């Protein structure tokens, strides 16, 4: 698989010809049970929502080819996602049914493995943000976030929550779990890799650690993968 990037690579990224399962160390061994889509929309809402696959089925399907940029400097190129646009989902389902307070401008996104991060609603309403349930024409695998994940190509991988289970809409931003590297926005073009250190420091540090970390994550992931999930 050698796919050139969909666009010129953003600063400090290098194209990989593979798309590994990846994440924070403590999530390598967490494989949520295979389960149908169940998405809870909660917090400062007139009516909290529980949505199933059927609720999303009324939205137009979207196919999109985009790159995924991990803050550790690797980029998986030209990934072909299928799903629904986050904007359609928000405007056509969340707004009419949950009636969010106009001051709720932040979303905390949680995965079924316990992973959590947040994004401003404004960023989630970008034209290329998807709730994806397909990759390369097939239902999402357990590796890559089945049954539903966020795809926000202009944000680092750590904002692209896999196994998406809950979206909490709230007035204030909330810190995520990516610790030292959880920037509140994580925009790739601005190299918002992390919060505390200059972008270049993160770039060189993470690039230096990446080979050892990738190897460790791959082994831990393989050792704990439930039987029946795709390698
Ligand atoms: N639920 C969940 N989502 C997550 C993570 C995670 O550990 N758990 N890791 C993030 C990070 S750091 C990256 S780079 C991407 C990697 O996506 P992939 O495993 O499909 O390659 O998922 C992101 N979303
Ligand atoms: Mo990442």
């Amino acid at each position: 698989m050698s796919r050139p990037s969909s666009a010129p690579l953003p600063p400090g990224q290098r194209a990989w010809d593979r798309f590994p399962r990846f994440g924070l160390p403590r999530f390598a061994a967490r494989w949520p049970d295979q389960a149908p889509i169940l998405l809870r929309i909660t917090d400062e809402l007139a009516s909290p929502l529980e949505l199933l696959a059927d609720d999303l089925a009324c939205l137009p399907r979207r196919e999109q080819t985009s790159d995924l940029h991990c803050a550790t400097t690797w980029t998986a190129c030209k990934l072909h996602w299928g799903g629904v646009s986050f904007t359609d989902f928000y405007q056509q389902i969340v707004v009419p049914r949950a009636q969010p307070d106009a001051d709720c401008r932040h979303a905390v996104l949680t995965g079924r493995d316990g992973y959590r991060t947040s994004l401003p609603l404004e960023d989630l309403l970008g034209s290329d943000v998807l709730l994806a349930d397909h990759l390369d024409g097939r239902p999402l695998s357990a590796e890559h976030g089945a049954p539903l994940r966020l795809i926000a190509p202009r944000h680092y991988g750590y904002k692209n929550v896999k196994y998406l289970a809950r979206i909490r809409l709230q007035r204030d931003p909330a810190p995520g779990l990516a610790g030292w590297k959880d920037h509140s926005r994580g925009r790739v073009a601005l190299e918002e890799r992390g919060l505390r250190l200059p972008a270049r420091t993160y770039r060189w540090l993470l690039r230096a650690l990446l080979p050892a970390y990738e190897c460790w994550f791959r082994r831990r992931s393989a050792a704990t993968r439930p039987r029946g999930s795709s390698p």
Side-chain angles (χ1 to χ4, degrees):
M1 180 178 76
S2 174
R3 320 195 223 199
S5 161
S6 309
L9 283 180
Q13 293 300 113
R14 288 180 178 167
W16 274 10
D17 60 2
R18 59 194 186 283
F19 180 35
R21 179 176 192 249
F22 212 79
L24 295 183
R26 78 190 108 138
F27 294 94
R30 295 196 201 172
W31 294 84
D33 295 341
Q34 296 288 306
I37 291 175
L38 171 61
L39 190 55
R40 293 196 168 86
I41 318 293
T42 62
D43 220 23
E44 299 171 33
L45 300 172
S47 1
L49 286 181
E50 280 203 352
L51 301 170
L52 305 170
D54 278 356
D55 295 295
L56 303 183
C58 64
L59 298 172
R61 298 285 306 170
R62 260 266 296 277
E63 306 260 312
Q64 175 174 298
T65 301
S66 48
D67 299 344
L68 187 133
H69 310 287
C70 175
T72 62
T73 72
W74 62 266
T75 292
C77 297
K78 290 205 167 176
L79 303 171
H80 190 67
W81 301 104
V84 297
S85 124
F86 188 90
T87 301
D88 287 347
F89 160 75
Y90 190 75
Q91 307 292 10
Q92 296 182 35
I93 297 184
V94 179
V95 171
R97 286 170 59 180
Q99 298 159 34
D101 186 325
D103 291 333
C104 288
R105 298 209 188 92
H106 299 274
V108 181
L109 307 141
T110 305
R112 281 177 29 248
D113 58 352
Y115 183 83
R116 184 177 77 227
T117 191
S118 80
L119 272 174
L121 195 53
E122 182 192 343
D123 291 18
L124 283 169
L125 294 173
S127 58
D128 52 1
V129 179
L130 293 186
L131 292 177
D133 56 8
H134 277 69
L135 173 62
D136 284 337
R138 284 188 293 275
L140 268 189
S141 63
E143 309 276 334
H144 292 300
L148 191 72
R149 78 176 295 172
L150 187 82
I151 288 300
R154 282 178 284 169
H155 293 74
Y156 283 114
Y158 67 91
K159 297 293 184 187
N160 291 237
V161 177
K162 297 182 281 190
Y163 319 111
L164 186 62
R166 183 185 295 264
I167 302 176
R168 192 182 288 274
L169 295 169
Q170 56 185 49
R171 289 162 197 250
D172 303 309
L177 293 181
W180 50 272
K181 80 166 195 211
D182 203 330
H183 191 283
S184 59
R185 298 191 84 172
R187 288 166 296 182
V188 174
L190 301 179
E191 213 173 341
E192 294 171 334
R193 288 182 202 276
L195 258 191
R196 290 185 240 294
L197 305 173
R200 288 203 166 237
T201 311
Y202 278 119
R203 193 199 284 188
W204 297 118
L205 190 68
L206 292 168
R207 186 175 286 161
L209 296 173
L210 180 56
Y213 180 65
E214 193 216 354
C215 179
W216 177 88
F217 195 95
R218 181 168 9 95
R219 286 195 190 152
R220 184 103 183 92
S221 201
T224 55
R225 175 186 292 121
R227 263 179 292 153
S229 71
S230 54

